[in-house]
Amino acid sequence: MRAQLSLRERKKLQAMRRIQEVALELFDEYGYSNVTIERIAAEAEVSPSSVYRYFGTKEYVVLYDEYDPVAVQSLDDEFAAQDPVAALRRVTTDMVEELESREVDLVRRRMRYAMTEPDVRAGMGRQVEQITTEIRGLLAKHTGRDPGDLDVRVLAAALVSVFMTAIEYWHDTDYREPLHTVLDRALDVIDGITLDRPRG
Amino acid sequence: MRAQLSLRERKKLQAMRRIQEVALELFDEYGYSNVTIERIAAEAEVSPSSVYRYFGTKEYVVLYDEYDPVAVQSLDDEFAAQDPVAALRRVTTDMVEELESREVDLVRRRMRYAMTEPDVRAGMGRQVEQITTEIRGLLAKHTGRDPGDLDVRVLAAALVSVFMTAIEYWHDTDYREPLHTVLDRALDVIDGITLDRPRG
DNA sequence: CTCCGCTTCGAGAGTTACTATCACTTGGGA
DNA sequence: TCCCAAGTGATAGTAACTCTCGAAGCGGAG
């Protein structure tokens, strides 16, 4: 699955994981804004320069997720087979199922900061925007339309927006309901949206 | 309309307008990131402290809009009279019509930075989030539901998301089409969403 | 195994957004 | 006219982020 990484790449990946783990530990103990990059770097035994090289910003130390690109790829695959809403449902369910419990824990820890800390939340906003653009591209590709089309834009934005709303609700209700159920209910509200029948 | 302002409040408002104008002038000439708060303050003949007191952040110097609260108020009124989608349409059309051409110009200048400069864009994201929360409250109020309801959340998020998509499209296409037309087309895509009939 | 080149790393210095504090000024009511 | 509260500006400090440059270390060629 991921063996063709060079030593360099493996070291980098390991370092990133270690830095993220150390950072979360420190954040949990002292609070996000009371921990400096310098401190994280010291604790992770790398230079501050490296933290910036790897993550770019402090928020991204929390937000970085090595599986993000995989998710987008899956979405691309599923868009080919079914309508966008069903595809999103499918990919989400699959991803959740594949996570090991240790990973689930990490995700929730990170999510807490994404929901709570304004800076981290803003950073997530940027990521969401970027992913929305990618989804616009995918939708355009699979429907033969232009990515700049208003309809394509609206559909992409709506999908992402509903997804994020589900995530936030899930978090706010302490993960009581499984994510896929929440997402199902959320998607029901906008059900019926497609690009094939532009007018109601 | 706005006469009950004390001298203090009038001076503050004037100062804020002057600072924003001066800042935009400088940004237009040198680029957003090449202009420091210190320079803006000097040019506007106030102290840097005051700029921070008034706006809080550099992005908010661009994003500040004295009519934002008015818009939310209008939305509250219209939600009482008609369905959410129609209400949003209505408020937008009204607001656009009321703007004088000098103000339209200012709005577009500011919008350019909101779309182009990452920091400003992120700041706008925060504002959008806050407004989304307010709209959730309004929807809850007018439908007798809880603001935390998943359905309420999804509807609020969808409305705002579609609105922002329309704005961005409008900007990307150089304001060729009037905003209300763009918004109409955008809203058509999600037409049929209501809280009264939760399932399609 | 050895050496060379290119990528990555770390150290240091610098910029600037933002915060906190505090003495000073000014508006608004008595 | 006087007084108090609110607003202002100067100053000092923090920490995120950037740039630069010399020092490693990986990976391929001989």
Side-chain angles (χ1 to χ4, degrees):
Chain A
M1 193 180 192
R2 64 177 114 113
Q4 65 281 41
L5 295 178
S6 70
L7 175 55
R8 263 191 174 132
E9 291 167 314
R10 265 180 288 138
K11 281 183 83 168
K12 177 176 173 176
L13 195 63
Q14 272 189 312
M16 289 182 79
R17 281 203 266 247
R18 190 174 65 248
I19 293 167
Q20 191 181 57
E21 179 53 39
V22 161
L24 286 172
E25 216 109 301
L26 290 171
F27 293 157
D28 286 347
E29 183 160 4
Y30 303 101
Y32 178 79
S33 53
N34 299 318
V35 178
T36 67
I37 292 277
E38 208 174 339
R39 178 125 184 234
I40 296 168
E43 208 93 3
E45 296 182 297
V46 292
S47 72
S49 315
S50 289
V51 178
Y52 283 113
R53 228 192 309 280
Y54 292 150
F55 298 100
T57 65
K58 188 179 174 185
E59 309 98 72
Y60 204 65
V61 173
V62 176
L63 292 168
Y64 166 75
D65 188 325
E66 51 182 300
Y67 296 116
D68 273 355
V70 182
V72 172
Q73 181 55 55
S74 311
L75 215 45
D76 191 8
D77 298 341
E78 296 296 332
F79 276 164
Q82 54 207 305
D83 74 287
V85 172
L88 178 57
R89 240 187 264 263
R90 185 62 199 270
V91 170
T92 306
T93 327
D94 288 358
M95 299 270 332
V96 171
E97 270 172 15
E98 276 170 25
L99 284 180
E100 299 168 25
S101 67
R102 184 182 41 78
E103 292 172 313
V104 171
D105 208 61
L106 190 66
V107 169
R108 289 187 187 171
R109 261 169 97 201
R110 289 170 43 223
M111 185 140 45
R112 209 187 97 222
Y113 292 104
M115 295 293 156
T116 306
E117 285 294 329
D119 287 357
V120 184
R121 200 174 173 112
M124 185 179 61
R126 278 186 219 203
Q127 282 193 93
V128 168
E129 257 179 46
Q130 200 179 319
I131 289 179
T132 306
T133 308
E134 290 180 52
I135 290 183
R136 263 167 55 184
L138 297 183
L139 289 174
K141 182 172 115 189
H142 290 290
T143 59
R145 299 193 181 211
D146 191 289
D149 257 18
L150 184 57
D151 288 2
V152 173
R153 288 180 193 236
V154 171
L155 177 56
L159 284 177
V160 171
S161 158
V162 170
F163 181 77
M164 292 310 296
T165 305
I167 294 272
E168 189 174 11
Y169 179 87
W170 188 50
H171 170 265
D172 285 354
T173 55
D174 285 318
Y175 317 103
R176 269 196 285 279
E177 231 174 313
L179 178 57
H180 71 90
T181 312
V182 177
L183 185 62
D184 277 350
R185 292 206 287 127
L187 286 172
D188 279 349
V189 180
I190 62 156
D191 210 10
I193 300 186
T194 327
L195 290 182
D196 298 328
R197 51 151 205 56
R199 280 200 150 260
Chain B
M1 192 182 194
R2 65 176 111 110
Q4 67 280 38
L5 295 178
S6 71
L7 174 56
R8 266 193 172 130
E9 291 167 312
R10 265 180 289 136
K11 281 181 82 169
K12 177 176 174 177
L13 195 63
Q14 274 188 308
M16 288 182 79
R17 283 203 265 245
R18 190 175 64 248
I19 293 167
Q20 191 181 58
E21 179 54 40
V22 161
L24 286 173
E25 216 110 300
L26 289 171
F27 293 157
D28 286 347
E29 183 160 3
Y30 303 102
Y32 179 79
S33 54
N34 298 318
V35 177
T36 67
I37 292 277
E38 207 174 340
R39 178 127 183 230
I40 296 168
E43 208 92 4
E45 296 182 296
V46 293
S47 71
S49 313
S50 288
V51 178
Y52 284 113
R53 228 191 312 278
Y54 291 150
F55 297 100
T57 66
K58 188 179 174 184
E59 310 97 74
Y60 205 65
V61 173
V62 175
L63 293 169
Y64 166 76
D65 188 324
E66 52 182 300
Y67 297 116
D68 272 356
V70 182
V72 173
Q73 181 54 54
S74 310
L75 215 45
D76 191 8
D77 299 340
E78 296 296 332
F79 276 164
Q82 54 207 306
D83 75 286
V85 172
L88 178 57
R89 241 188 264 262
R90 185 63 199 268
V91 169
T92 306
T93 327
D94 287 358
M95 299 272 327
V96 170
E97 269 172 16
E98 277 170 24
L99 284 180
E100 299 168 24
S101 67
R102 184 182 42 77
E103 292 173 315
V104 172
D105 208 62
L106 190 67
V107 169
R108 290 188 188 171
R109 261 169 97 199
R110 288 169 43 223
M111 185 140 47
R112 209 187 98 220
Y113 291 104
M115 295 293 156
T116 307
E117 283 294 328
D119 287 358
V120 183
R121 198 174 174 111
M124 184 179 61
R126 276 186 220 203
Q127 282 193 90
V128 167
E129 256 179 47
Q130 200 179 319
I131 290 179
T132 305
T133 308
E134 289 180 52
I135 290 182
R136 263 167 54 185
L138 297 183
L139 288 174
K141 182 172 115 190
H142 290 289
T143 60
R145 299 192 180 212
D146 191 289
D149 257 18
L150 184 59
D151 290 1
V152 174
R153 289 181 193 236
V154 172
L155 178 56
L159 284 177
V160 170
S161 158
V162 170
F163 180 77
M164 292 310 296
T165 305
I167 294 272
E168 189 175 10
Y169 179 88
W170 189 50
H171 170 265
D172 284 355
T173 54
D174 285 318
Y175 316 105
R176 269 196 284 277
E177 233 175 312
L179 178 58
H180 71 90
T181 311
V182 177
L183 184 62
D184 277 350
R185 293 205 285 128
L187 286 172
D188 279 347
V189 180
I190 62 156
D191 210 12
I193 301 186
T194 327
L195 289 181
D196 297 328
R197 52 152 204 56
R199 281 202 151 258

